[in-house]
Amino acid sequence: MNWDWEVVEEFLPRFWDGVLVTCQALLGGTLIAFTLGLVWALAQRSNLVWVRWPVNAVTEFIRNTPLLVQLFFLFYVVPEWGPSMSPLATGVIGLGIHYSTYTAEVYRAGIDGVPRGQWEAATALNLSTAVTWRSVILPQAIRRVVPALGNYVVAMLKDSPMIAIIGALDMLGEARFFSAETFQYVEPITLVGIAFIVIAYPASLLIRALERRLATY
Amino acid sequence: MTWGLWNNWMLPGIWITIQVTLYSAAIALAVSFTIGTARTSRLWIVRFLSGIYFELFRGASALVLMFWLFFALPIAAGWQLVPMWAGVLALGLTYGAYGSEIVRGALAAVPTAQREAGIALNFTKLQRLVRIELPQAWPEMIPPFNNLAIELLKGTALVSVISVADITFSANLIRFTTTESAPIYSIILVMYFVLAFLITRGMRVLERHAKAGVGKAPERSGGLWSKLSLRRGRSEAAGAITAGGAR
Amino acid sequence: MSTPDNNPADTPSKTPSKTPSNTPGNAPDAARTAVGTATGDTPWATGEEIIRFQDVTKRYGRQVVLDDLCFSVYAGKHVTLIGPSGSGKTTILRLLMTLIKADEGSIRVEGDYLTHEERNGKLVPAGERHIREVRKKIGMVFQQFNLFPNMTVMRNLTEAPVRVLGLSRDEAEQRARELLEMVDLTEMSAKYPSQLSGGQQQRVAIARALAMRPRILLLDEVTSALDPELVAGVLDLLRDIAHHTDITMLTVTHEMNFARDISDCVMMFDHGKILEAATPEKLFNDPEHTRTREFLNAVL
């Protein structure tokens, strides 16, 4: 084992660039996953069969096929029909859509977890469906599912290096390029690996703490 | 797309994907039970070490680990892993960490009374684990293991980036030579979905057997959707891939 | 009806009362008979001493469940523990079964310390091996049956004899069939516990405990979880066992008529102490303490 600190020093500026890109991908992906997931969840509870059925089918399909292949699809196929996107933009959309199918399930569980009595009380107060959703059901449901959503953010973090495969310069992408130029493989990839653990561990501790706090509710 | 490419690359690619799935599932299963039971040990040092394994590999990204095993390990340790085994090992070790949480959780859910009955009949600790606790926990593990197996299948696509000629690798190759990207990626997405479906069917059979083995009637699945749905368990909120976050 | 005989060849009975002298926790003999002498006549305190509690204290947090408890049980005798809930009766059984540990004091079974062993004249916490050796003599039936749901009735009865006592599967099954006949469940041997009624499950649990040929049988409120119409069957079975075997029985129950039928001695517990111990005739008809009288009035 020959560890060279000079290589680390040389790699560090690029590493920080990569950290920034990883954070951007994660933030963008999270925003899409959280909002799109809610749309799926509400559509899955729709009274209209022709809304419910296709949404169920599409989310089920996306959830059970590899994110990597979906990224390839977005990166190589979609530009044939429409605008071409940068690797990072493709990555953000890919991560967001893929994880929205998971958050949809989380929201659904949260909505199912709201007691029936809440619906009945809302009906008794003659609230409209929209108001019932907005001010009674969703606030209670989302509060419940915050830790579960957080878990998927951590999971997304760990899947985010896949965007390097389509050419985005996140942490892993920077490491690959650096290695290809300098033929130094050990230090960059080790540093990136440690970085993931260092970010993921406190994040999951935070989620566990959140779970404990919200469990009393 | 020509039949030559299909026969030469895609069919062997399917077989490679199945092999990678099976091998890494075997490693993940072994890791799950070893680490999962170790985390319920009475000895703090065993709990501590297995806890470190769990936190490390749950925090690690499978893809980064795969790259590390493929590029860094040969230089650092001086010996080279066959690409497929670098991939299998990375998948097995990381998904095993998630699996250990399934095993630990299911063992913790076995009623204390069962442990006490085992003590009253003077079983040793190992006998209690093997004859009483694990058999009772096993049926509870199958639905989350089903979800984990599908995640693992999806994860096998990663081996394509270290030049293992699986489905995804073959698809990239065919795209490169024919530039017909839309059909090829659509087809392989369907292939992965079909494989995931087969895993679910297999796990249902396994679950029925396991439940019969503890004298429980298997629950009949409801409508068409629950039959087609590949995921098991009440909600994805407690989904396998992030099982570690729960409790 | 066949009854399990005691002292089989596979449980080598040690010479009793190899009581070590001058070891910690070995208080003067007066303490042991304190309970007996308090009520005068003690016909249950004859023969070989099989269980001995010496200054046993058990706390949960700040709550004292057993308070400096001393008593002995003699071989073949049937002792019933009664008293209000939370008075520590079940704790005694759980201590004996080594499901929990005492905070202070010592428990001996046939002269051997239960959770301690002697090394160089000193008492040290016992290893697993010693505990299992002593525990071999004790069986327990639980309130909630605690049958193994992953095993058939036959497997429930044979698993421990095969794995723990080292019987061959044929021997174990032969023994199990005799016991199933005794508890009148011969036709249930291939069923799983979940397919049995509560009363049937409890009878299997009793057979399972007896299959280990224990010298001591602990019965922890064995009818409390049963529907009322199923209670009689289980109690009749236990009466038979009490009257036809020489197994020492330690029973916690709220069935006072049953206690009267089978007991040589009834101990009334309150706040972790033995309030009084007497023959059932004496205790049920003419208790010494008003507290006992109040309790009996409340439950009878």
Side-chain angles (χ1 to χ4, degrees), chain B residues 113-114 116-125 127-128 131-132 135-136 212-216, chain C residues 94 97-99 132 135-136 138 142 146-151 159-160 163-164 192 194 208 212:
Chain B
Q114 288 293 313
E116 294 183 345
I119 294 174
L121 291 169
N122 218 356
F123 286 110
T124 63
K125 263 179 254 155
Q127 285 172 331
R128 290 204 300 268
R131 313 245 159 231
I132 301 169
Q136 289 182 37
V214 294
K216 270 189 208 160
Chain C
R94 295 173 63 80
M97 199 66 257
T98 64
L99 300 177
R132 291 190 68 223
R135 196 158 60 195
K136 200 156 78 177
I138 309 171
F142 298 87
N146 299 1
L147 292 178
F148 302 128
N150 55 319
M151 302 178 194
E159 194 68 7
R163 305 283 166 194
V164 177
Y192 282 96
S194 56
R208 181 176 72 171
M212 298 298 282

CSV table of all heavy atoms in Angstrom, one decimal, chain B residues 113-114 116-125 127-128 131-132 135-136 212-216, chain C residues 94 97-99 132 135-136 138 142 146-151 159-160 163-164 192 194 208 212:
chain,number,residue,atom,x,y,z
B,113,ALA,N,-41.0,-14.3,24.8
B,113,ALA,CA,-41.5,-15.6,25.4
B,113,ALA,C,-41.0,-16.8,24.8
B,113,ALA,O,-40.8,-17.8,25.4
B,113,ALA,CB,-43.1,-15.6,25.3
B,114,GLN,N,-40.7,-16.7,23.5
B,114,GLN,CA,-40.1,-17.9,22.7
B,114,GLN,C,-38.7,-18.2,23.2
B,114,GLN,O,-38.3,-19.3,23.4
B,114,GLN,CB,-40.1,-17.6,21.2
B,114,GLN,CG,-41.5,-17.7,20.6
B,114,GLN,CD,-42.1,-19.0,20.7
B,114,GLN,OE1,-41.4,-20.0,20.3
B,114,GLN,NE2,-43.3,-19.2,21.2
B,116,GLU,N,-37.6,-17.4,26.2
B,116,GLU,CA,-37.8,-18.0,27.5
B,116,GLU,C,-38.2,-19.4,27.5
B,116,GLU,O,-37.7,-20.2,28.3
B,116,GLU,CB,-38.8,-17.1,28.3
B,116,GLU,CG,-38.3,-15.7,28.6
B,116,GLU,CD,-39.3,-14.9,29.4
B,116,GLU,OE1,-40.4,-15.3,29.5
B,116,GLU,OE2,-38.9,-13.8,29.9
B,117,ALA,N,-39.1,-19.8,26.6
B,117,ALA,CA,-39.5,-21.2,26.5
B,117,ALA,C,-38.2,-22.0,26.1
B,117,ALA,O,-38.1,-23.1,26.6
B,117,ALA,CB,-40.5,-21.4,25.4
B,118,GLY,N,-37.4,-21.5,25.3
B,118,GLY,CA,-36.1,-22.2,24.9
B,118,GLY,C,-35.2,-22.4,26.1
B,118,GLY,O,-34.6,-23.4,26.3
B,119,ILE,N,-35.1,-21.3,26.9
B,119,ILE,CA,-34.3,-21.5,28.1
B,119,ILE,C,-34.9,-22.5,29.1
B,119,ILE,O,-34.2,-23.4,29.6
B,119,ILE,CB,-34.2,-20.1,28.9
B,119,ILE,CG1,-33.5,-19.1,28.0
B,119,ILE,CG2,-33.5,-20.3,30.2
B,119,ILE,CD1,-33.4,-17.7,28.6
B,120,ALA,N,-36.2,-22.5,29.2
B,120,ALA,CA,-36.9,-23.4,30.1
B,120,ALA,C,-36.7,-24.9,29.7
B,120,ALA,O,-36.7,-25.8,30.5
B,120,ALA,CB,-38.4,-23.1,30.2
B,121,LEU,N,-36.5,-25.1,28.4
B,121,LEU,CA,-36.2,-26.4,27.9
B,121,LEU,C,-34.7,-26.7,27.8
B,121,LEU,O,-34.3,-27.7,27.2
B,121,LEU,CB,-36.9,-26.7,26.5
B,121,LEU,CG,-38.4,-26.7,26.6
B,121,LEU,CD1,-39.0,-26.7,25.2
B,121,LEU,CD2,-38.8,-28.0,27.4
B,122,ASN,N,-33.9,-25.7,28.3
B,122,ASN,CA,-32.5,-25.9,28.5
B,122,ASN,C,-31.7,-26.0,27.1
B,122,ASN,O,-30.7,-26.6,27.0
B,122,ASN,CB,-32.2,-27.2,29.3
B,122,ASN,CG,-31.0,-27.0,30.2
B,122,ASN,OD1,-30.4,-26.0,30.2
B,122,ASN,ND2,-30.8,-28.0,31.0
B,123,PHE,N,-32.2,-25.4,26.1
B,123,PHE,CA,-31.5,-25.3,24.9
B,123,PHE,C,-30.2,-24.4,25.0
B,123,PHE,O,-30.3,-23.4,25.9
B,123,PHE,CB,-32.3,-24.7,23.7
B,123,PHE,CG,-33.4,-25.6,23.2
B,123,PHE,CD1,-34.7,-25.4,23.4
B,123,PHE,CD2,-33.0,-26.7,22.4
B,123,PHE,CE1,-35.7,-26.3,22.9
B,123,PHE,CE2,-33.9,-27.6,21.9
B,123,PHE,CZ,-35.3,-27.4,22.2
B,124,THR,N,-29.2,-24.6,24.3
B,124,THR,CA,-28.1,-23.7,24.3
B,124,THR,C,-28.4,-22.5,23.5
B,124,THR,O,-29.4,-22.5,22.7
B,124,THR,CB,-26.8,-24.3,23.7
B,124,THR,OG1,-27.1,-24.6,22.3
B,124,THR,CG2,-26.4,-25.6,24.4
B,125,LYS,N,-27.6,-21.4,23.6
B,125,LYS,CA,-27.9,-20.2,22.9
B,125,LYS,C,-27.9,-20.4,21.4
B,125,LYS,O,-28.8,-19.9,20.6
B,125,LYS,CB,-26.8,-19.1,23.2
B,125,LYS,CG,-27.3,-18.2,24.2
B,125,LYS,CD,-26.1,-17.2,24.5
B,125,LYS,CE,-25.5,-17.5,25.9
B,125,LYS,NZ,-24.1,-17.1,26.1
B,127,GLN,N,-28.5,-23.3,19.8
B,127,GLN,CA,-29.7,-24.1,19.5
B,127,GLN,C,-31.0,-23.2,19.4
B,127,GLN,O,-31.8,-23.4,18.6
B,127,GLN,CB,-29.9,-25.2,20.5
B,127,GLN,CG,-29.0,-26.4,20.3
B,127,GLN,CD,-29.1,-27.4,21.5
B,127,GLN,OE1,-29.4,-27.0,22.6
B,127,GLN,NE2,-28.8,-28.6,21.2
B,128,ARG,N,-31.0,-22.3,20.4
B,128,ARG,CA,-32.2,-21.4,20.4
B,128,ARG,C,-32.2,-20.5,19.1
B,128,ARG,O,-33.3,-20.4,18.5
B,128,ARG,CB,-32.2,-20.4,21.6
B,128,ARG,CG,-32.4,-21.1,22.9
B,128,ARG,CD,-32.9,-20.1,24.0
B,128,ARG,NE,-32.0,-19.0,24.2
B,128,ARG,CZ,-31.1,-19.0,25.2
B,128,ARG,NH1,-30.9,-20.1,25.9
B,128,ARG,NH2,-30.3,-18.0,25.4
B,131,ARG,N,-32.8,-23.2,16.0
B,131,ARG,CA,-34.0,-24.1,16.0
B,131,ARG,C,-35.3,-23.3,16.3
B,131,ARG,O,-36.3,-23.7,15.9
B,131,ARG,CB,-33.9,-25.2,17.0
B,131,ARG,CG,-32.6,-25.9,17.0
B,131,ARG,CD,-32.8,-27.3,16.6
B,131,ARG,NE,-31.5,-27.8,16.1
B,131,ARG,CZ,-31.4,-28.5,15.0
B,131,ARG,NH1,-32.4,-28.7,14.2
B,131,ARG,NH2,-30.2,-28.9,14.6
B,132,ILE,N,-35.1,-22.2,17.0
B,132,ILE,CA,-36.4,-21.5,17.4
B,132,ILE,C,-36.4,-20.1,16.8
B,132,ILE,O,-37.4,-19.7,16.1
B,132,ILE,CB,-36.4,-21.3,18.9
B,132,ILE,CG1,-36.4,-22.7,19.6
B,132,ILE,CG2,-37.7,-20.6,19.4
B,132,ILE,CD1,-36.2,-22.8,21.0
B,135,PRO,N,-35.9,-19.9,12.5
B,135,PRO,CA,-37.1,-20.4,11.8
B,135,PRO,C,-38.3,-19.5,11.9
B,135,PRO,O,-39.1,-19.4,11.0
B,135,PRO,CB,-37.3,-21.8,12.4
B,135,PRO,CG,-36.0,-22.1,13.0
B,135,PRO,CD,-35.4,-20.9,13.4
B,136,GLN,N,-38.5,-18.9,13.1
B,136,GLN,CA,-39.7,-18.1,13.3
B,136,GLN,C,-39.6,-16.8,12.6
B,136,GLN,O,-40.5,-16.2,12.1
B,136,GLN,CB,-40.0,-17.9,14.7
B,136,GLN,CG,-40.5,-19.2,15.4
B,136,GLN,CD,-40.8,-19.0,16.9
B,136,GLN,OE1,-41.3,-17.9,17.2
B,136,GLN,NE2,-40.6,-19.9,17.7
B,212,ALA,N,-46.4,-21.9,5.6
B,212,ALA,CA,-46.9,-23.3,5.9
B,212,ALA,C,-46.0,-23.9,7.0
B,212,ALA,O,-46.5,-24.7,7.8
B,212,ALA,CB,-47.0,-24.1,4.7
B,213,GLY,N,-44.7,-23.6,6.9
B,213,GLY,CA,-43.8,-24.3,7.9
B,213,GLY,C,-43.9,-23.8,9.3
B,213,GLY,O,-43.4,-24.4,10.2
B,214,VAL,N,-44.7,-22.7,9.5
B,214,VAL,CA,-44.9,-22.3,10.9
B,214,VAL,C,-46.4,-22.4,11.2
B,214,VAL,O,-46.9,-21.8,12.1
B,214,VAL,CB,-44.4,-20.8,11.2
B,214,VAL,CG1,-42.9,-20.8,11.1
B,214,VAL,CG2,-45.0,-19.8,10.3
B,215,GLY,N,-47.1,-23.1,10.3
B,215,GLY,CA,-48.5,-23.4,10.6
B,215,GLY,C,-49.4,-22.2,10.3
B,215,GLY,O,-50.5,-22.2,10.8
B,216,LYS,N,-48.9,-21.3,9.5
B,216,LYS,CA,-49.8,-20.1,9.2
B,216,LYS,C,-50.4,-20.3,7.8
B,216,LYS,O,-49.7,-20.8,6.9
B,216,LYS,CB,-49.0,-18.8,9.2
B,216,LYS,CG,-48.9,-18.1,10.5
B,216,LYS,CD,-48.2,-16.8,10.2
B,216,LYS,CE,-47.5,-16.3,11.4
B,216,LYS,NZ,-46.5,-15.3,11.1
C,94,ARG,N,-39.5,-17.2,37.8
C,94,ARG,CA,-38.6,-16.7,36.8
C,94,ARG,C,-37.2,-16.7,37.3
C,94,ARG,O,-36.3,-17.0,36.5
C,94,ARG,CB,-39.0,-15.3,36.3
C,94,ARG,CG,-40.4,-15.4,35.6
C,94,ARG,CD,-40.9,-14.0,35.3
C,94,ARG,NE,-40.0,-13.3,34.3
C,94,ARG,CZ,-40.1,-13.5,33.0
C,94,ARG,NH1,-40.9,-14.4,32.5
C,94,ARG,NH2,-39.2,-12.9,32.2
C,97,MET,N,-36.1,-20.4,37.1
C,97,MET,CA,-35.9,-20.8,35.7
C,97,MET,C,-34.7,-20.1,35.0
C,97,MET,O,-34.4,-20.3,33.8
C,97,MET,CB,-37.2,-20.6,34.9
C,97,MET,CG,-37.3,-21.3,33.6
C,97,MET,SD,-37.4,-23.1,33.9
C,97,MET,CE,-35.8,-23.7,33.4
C,98,THR,N,-34.0,-19.2,35.8
C,98,THR,CA,-32.9,-18.4,35.3
C,98,THR,C,-33.2,-17.5,34.2
C,98,THR,O,-32.4,-17.2,33.3
C,98,THR,CB,-31.7,-19.3,34.9
C,98,THR,OG1,-32.0,-20.1,33.8
C,98,THR,CG2,-31.2,-20.1,36.0
C,99,LEU,N,-34.5,-17.1,34.1
C,99,LEU,CA,-34.9,-16.1,33.1
C,99,LEU,C,-34.5,-14.7,33.6
C,99,LEU,O,-34.3,-13.8,32.7
C,99,LEU,CB,-36.4,-16.1,32.9
C,99,LEU,CG,-37.0,-17.5,32.4
C,99,LEU,CD1,-38.5,-17.4,32.3
C,99,LEU,CD2,-36.4,-17.9,31.1
C,132,ARG,N,-26.7,-24.7,32.9
C,132,ARG,CA,-27.5,-25.7,32.1
C,132,ARG,C,-27.6,-27.0,32.9
C,132,ARG,O,-28.6,-27.7,32.8
C,132,ARG,CB,-26.9,-25.9,30.7
C,132,ARG,CG,-27.1,-24.7,29.9
C,132,ARG,CD,-26.7,-25.0,28.4
C,132,ARG,NE,-27.6,-25.9,27.8
C,132,ARG,CZ,-27.3,-26.9,27.0
C,132,ARG,NH1,-26.0,-27.1,26.8
C,132,ARG,NH2,-28.2,-27.7,26.5
C,135,ARG,N,-30.1,-26.4,35.6
C,135,ARG,CA,-31.4,-26.1,35.0
C,135,ARG,C,-32.1,-27.3,34.4
C,135,ARG,O,-33.3,-27.4,34.3
C,135,ARG,CB,-31.2,-25.1,33.8
C,135,ARG,CG,-32.4,-24.3,33.3
C,135,ARG,CD,-32.1,-23.1,32.7
C,135,ARG,NE,-31.2,-23.3,31.5
C,135,ARG,CZ,-30.5,-22.3,30.9
C,135,ARG,NH1,-30.6,-21.1,31.3
C,135,ARG,NH2,-29.8,-22.6,29.8
C,136,LYS,N,-31.3,-28.3,34.1
C,136,LYS,CA,-31.8,-29.6,33.6
C,136,LYS,C,-32.9,-30.2,34.5
C,136,LYS,O,-33.7,-30.9,34.1
C,136,LYS,CB,-30.6,-30.5,33.5
C,136,LYS,CG,-30.8,-31.7,32.6
C,136,LYS,CD,-29.5,-32.2,32.1
C,136,LYS,CE,-28.8,-33.1,33.1
C,136,LYS,NZ,-27.6,-33.7,32.6
C,138,ILE,N,-35.1,-28.6,36.1
C,138,ILE,CA,-36.3,-27.7,36.3
C,138,ILE,C,-37.1,-27.6,35.0
C,138,ILE,O,-36.5,-27.5,33.9
C,138,ILE,CB,-35.9,-26.3,36.7
C,138,ILE,CG1,-35.0,-26.4,38.0
C,138,ILE,CG2,-37.1,-25.5,37.0
C,138,ILE,CD1,-34.4,-25.1,38.4
C,142,PHE,N,-45.8,-22.0,31.0
C,142,PHE,CA,-46.0,-20.6,31.0
C,142,PHE,C,-47.5,-20.2,30.9
C,142,PHE,O,-48.3,-21.0,30.4
C,142,PHE,CB,-45.3,-19.9,29.9
C,142,PHE,CG,-43.8,-20.1,29.9
C,142,PHE,CD1,-43.2,-21.2,29.4
C,142,PHE,CD2,-43.0,-19.1,30.5
C,142,PHE,CE1,-41.8,-21.3,29.4
C,142,PHE,CE2,-41.6,-19.2,30.5
C,142,PHE,CZ,-41.0,-20.4,30.0
C,146,ASN,N,-46.4,-20.5,25.2
C,146,ASN,CA,-45.1,-20.4,24.5
C,146,ASN,C,-44.7,-21.7,23.8
C,146,ASN,O,-43.5,-22.0,23.8
C,146,ASN,CB,-44.0,-20.0,25.6
C,146,ASN,CG,-44.3,-18.7,26.2
C,146,ASN,OD1,-45.3,-18.1,26.0
C,146,ASN,ND2,-43.4,-18.3,27.1
C,147,LEU,N,-45.6,-22.3,23.1
C,147,LEU,CA,-45.2,-23.4,22.2
C,147,LEU,C,-44.5,-22.8,21.0
C,147,LEU,O,-44.7,-21.6,20.7
C,147,LEU,CB,-46.4,-24.2,21.7
C,147,LEU,CG,-47.2,-25.0,22.8
C,147,LEU,CD1,-48.4,-25.6,22.2
C,147,LEU,CD2,-46.3,-26.0,23.4
C,148,PHE,N,-43.6,-23.6,20.4
C,148,PHE,CA,-42.9,-23.1,19.2
C,148,PHE,C,-43.8,-23.2,18.0
C,148,PHE,O,-44.1,-24.3,17.6
C,148,PHE,CB,-41.6,-23.9,19.0
C,148,PHE,CG,-40.7,-23.9,20.2
C,148,PHE,CD1,-40.2,-25.1,20.8
C,148,PHE,CD2,-40.4,-22.7,20.8
C,148,PHE,CE1,-39.4,-25.1,21.9
C,148,PHE,CE2,-39.5,-22.7,21.9
C,148,PHE,CZ,-39.1,-23.9,22.4
C,149,PRO,N,-44.2,-22.1,17.4
C,149,PRO,CA,-45.2,-22.1,16.3
C,149,PRO,C,-44.6,-22.7,15.0
C,149,PRO,O,-45.3,-23.1,14.2
C,149,PRO,CB,-45.5,-20.6,16.1
C,149,PRO,CG,-44.3,-19.9,16.6
C,149,PRO,CD,-43.8,-20.7,17.8
C,150,ASN,N,-43.2,-22.8,15.0
C,150,ASN,CA,-42.6,-23.3,13.7
C,150,ASN,C,-42.5,-24.8,13.8
C,150,ASN,O,-41.9,-25.4,12.9
C,150,ASN,CB,-41.3,-22.7,13.5
C,150,ASN,CG,-40.3,-22.8,14.7
C,150,ASN,OD1,-40.8,-22.7,15.8
C,150,ASN,ND2,-39.1,-23.1,14.5
C,151,MET,N,-43.0,-25.5,14.9
C,151,MET,CA,-42.8,-26.9,15.0
C,151,MET,C,-44.2,-27.6,15.2
C,151,MET,O,-45.1,-27.0,15.8
C,151,MET,CB,-41.9,-27.3,16.2
C,151,MET,CG,-40.5,-26.7,16.1
C,151,MET,SD,-39.6,-27.1,17.6
C,151,MET,CE,-38.2,-26.0,17.5
C,159,GLU,N,-38.1,-32.1,20.3
C,159,GLU,CA,-36.9,-31.3,19.9
C,159,GLU,C,-35.9,-31.2,21.1
C,159,GLU,O,-34.7,-31.5,20.9
C,159,GLU,CB,-37.3,-29.9,19.5
C,159,GLU,CG,-36.2,-29.1,18.7
C,159,GLU,CD,-35.8,-29.6,17.4
C,159,GLU,OE1,-36.5,-30.6,16.9
C,159,GLU,OE2,-34.9,-29.1,16.8
C,160,ALA,N,-36.4,-30.8,22.3
C,160,ALA,CA,-35.5,-30.6,23.4
C,160,ALA,C,-34.9,-32.0,23.9
C,160,ALA,O,-33.7,-32.1,24.1
C,160,ALA,CB,-36.2,-29.8,24.5
C,163,ARG,N,-32.2,-32.8,21.3
C,163,ARG,CA,-31.1,-31.8,21.2
C,163,ARG,C,-30.4,-31.6,22.5
C,163,ARG,O,-29.2,-31.4,22.6
C,163,ARG,CB,-31.5,-30.5,20.7
C,163,ARG,CG,-32.3,-30.5,19.4
C,163,ARG,CD,-31.3,-30.7,18.2
C,163,ARG,NE,-32.1,-31.0,17.0
C,163,ARG,CZ,-31.6,-31.5,15.9
C,163,ARG,NH1,-30.3,-31.7,15.8
C,163,ARG,NH2,-32.4,-31.8,14.9
C,164,VAL,N,-31.2,-31.6,23.6
C,164,VAL,CA,-30.6,-31.3,24.9
C,164,VAL,C,-30.2,-32.5,25.7
C,164,VAL,O,-29.1,-32.7,26.2
C,164,VAL,CB,-31.6,-30.4,25.7
C,164,VAL,CG1,-31.0,-30.1,27.1
C,164,VAL,CG2,-31.8,-29.1,24.9
C,192,TYR,N,-50.0,-28.1,14.0
C,192,TYR,CA,-49.2,-27.0,14.5
C,192,TYR,C,-49.9,-26.3,15.6
C,192,TYR,O,-51.2,-26.4,15.7
C,192,TYR,CB,-48.9,-26.0,13.3
C,192,TYR,CG,-47.8,-26.4,12.4
C,192,TYR,CD1,-48.1,-27.1,11.2
C,192,TYR,CD2,-46.5,-26.2,12.7
C,192,TYR,CE1,-47.1,-27.5,10.3
C,192,TYR,CE2,-45.5,-26.6,11.9
C,192,TYR,CZ,-45.8,-27.2,10.7
C,192,TYR,OH,-44.8,-27.6,9.8
C,194,SER,N,-50.8,-23.4,16.2
C,194,SER,CA,-51.9,-22.5,15.8
C,194,SER,C,-53.2,-23.1,15.5
C,194,SER,O,-54.2,-22.5,15.4
C,194,SER,CB,-51.4,-21.6,14.7
C,194,SER,OG,-51.0,-22.4,13.6
C,208,ARG,N,-44.7,-31.0,27.1
C,208,ARG,CA,-43.4,-30.7,26.6
C,208,ARG,C,-42.5,-30.5,27.8
C,208,ARG,O,-41.3,-30.9,27.8
C,208,ARG,CB,-43.5,-29.3,25.8
C,208,ARG,CG,-42.2,-28.9,25.3
C,208,ARG,CD,-42.3,-27.7,24.4
C,208,ARG,NE,-42.5,-26.5,25.3
C,208,ARG,CZ,-42.5,-25.2,24.8
C,208,ARG,NH1,-42.3,-25.0,23.5
C,208,ARG,NH2,-42.8,-24.2,25.5
C,212,MET,N,-39.0,-33.5,29.4
C,212,MET,CA,-37.6,-33.4,29.9
C,212,MET,C,-37.3,-34.0,31.2
C,212,MET,O,-36.2,-34.0,31.8
C,212,MET,CB,-37.3,-31.9,30.0
C,212,MET,CG,-37.4,-31.1,28.7
C,212,MET,SD,-36.2,-31.7,27.4
C,212,MET,CE,-34.7,-30.9,28.0
